[in-house]
Amino acid sequence: MSDNGATIGNGSTNAPLKGTKSTLFEGGIRTPLLIRWPAVIAPNTVIEQPAISLDLLPTALAAAKISPSSEHPLDGVNLLPLLTGQSNAVPHKQLFWKFGDQWAVRNGNWKLVHSGRPRGEFATQLVNLEIDPSEEQDLSAENPAIRKELQELWKEWDKNNVPAKWGK
């Protein structure tokens, strides 16, 4: 798994995705994950459901047959049922990201992303990744209820986060 998308100035590109490393647009957070375990995972298995790097620890623990501590709940989920074909359930109803003054929430194919860099109406934008994976069209005006729902999901998730120990 990569640690984020391509960076600026070294010839790499995230095209057609918007954003780069250190942004919460798809070009900064959508990366491939490759797992090879021939005895357990069928060759050429492709999973389209979104996962997050926080899923790696619960998955590794499950592979090692180690139960996570109930004292320290994990944020990720075990992906083995999905990887082995025992389940095709979407591992996360929502995904959340926070990086400095940027934040994003994804619920199904809908994503609300706050770039942290005010650019007029596009500082926070609502996109549907199924029809616009490049995040070019802000659908906030056409979908105010969805935007409000995602904003509320974000606020609820973020209220339990501690302030960052770096940056501003």
Side-chain angles (χ1 to χ4, degrees):
M1 173 178 267
S2 170
D3 74 335
N4 291 93
T7 191
I8 301 172
N10 66 1
S12 58
T13 178
N14 296 314
L17 302 177
K18 179 179 184 175
T20 61
K21 184 179 189 87
S22 301
T23 72
L24 298 182
F25 294 109
E26 292 297 291
I29 61 174
R30 185 185 288 200
T31 60
L33 166 64
L34 303 174
I35 298 176
R36 184 175 187 275
W37 193 3
V40 177
I41 301 170
N44 303 313
T45 298
V46 176
I47 306 298
E48 297 292 335
Q49 293 93 329
I52 197 163
S53 60
L54 296 169
D55 297 332
L56 294 177
L57 178 57
T59 303
L61 289 173
K65 298 185 179 359
I66 298 171
S67 297
S69 166
S70 59
E71 293 178 45
H72 305 288
L74 301 175
D75 290 325
V77 300
N78 172 15
L79 297 175
L80 281 182
L82 188 65
L83 295 169
T84 59
Q86 294 173 355
S87 171
N88 64 354
V90 175
H92 300 276
K93 184 172 180 179
Q94 291 104 18
L95 291 170
F96 300 89
W97 296 268
K98 186 174 186 175
F99 182 68
D101 56 356
Q102 300 174 77
W103 57 264
V105 56
R106 178 174 175 167
N107 188 18
N109 288 318
W110 288 101
K111 180 179 172 191
L112 186 65
V113 59
H114 177 74
S115 67
R117 299 179 187 110
R119 295 185 317 245
E121 62 184 297
F122 298 108
T124 304
Q125 68 184 64
L126 176 69
V127 295
N128 185 313
L129 295 171
E130 182 175 32
I131 59 174
D132 183 18
S134 298
E135 299 171 291
E136 295 299 323
Q137 185 178 8
D138 182 10
L139 301 174
S140 296
E142 299 94 322
N143 300 279
I146 294 172
R147 180 181 169 128
K148 182 178 180 182
E149 175 189 2
L150 268 62
Q151 184 100 37
E152 293 304 315
L153 286 169
W154 163 258
K155 286 179 185 176
E156 182 65 26
W157 177 80
D158 190 46
K159 75 179 185 183
N160 294 318
N161 291 327
V162 297
K165 304 288 186 199
W166 65 90
K168 292 182 181 178

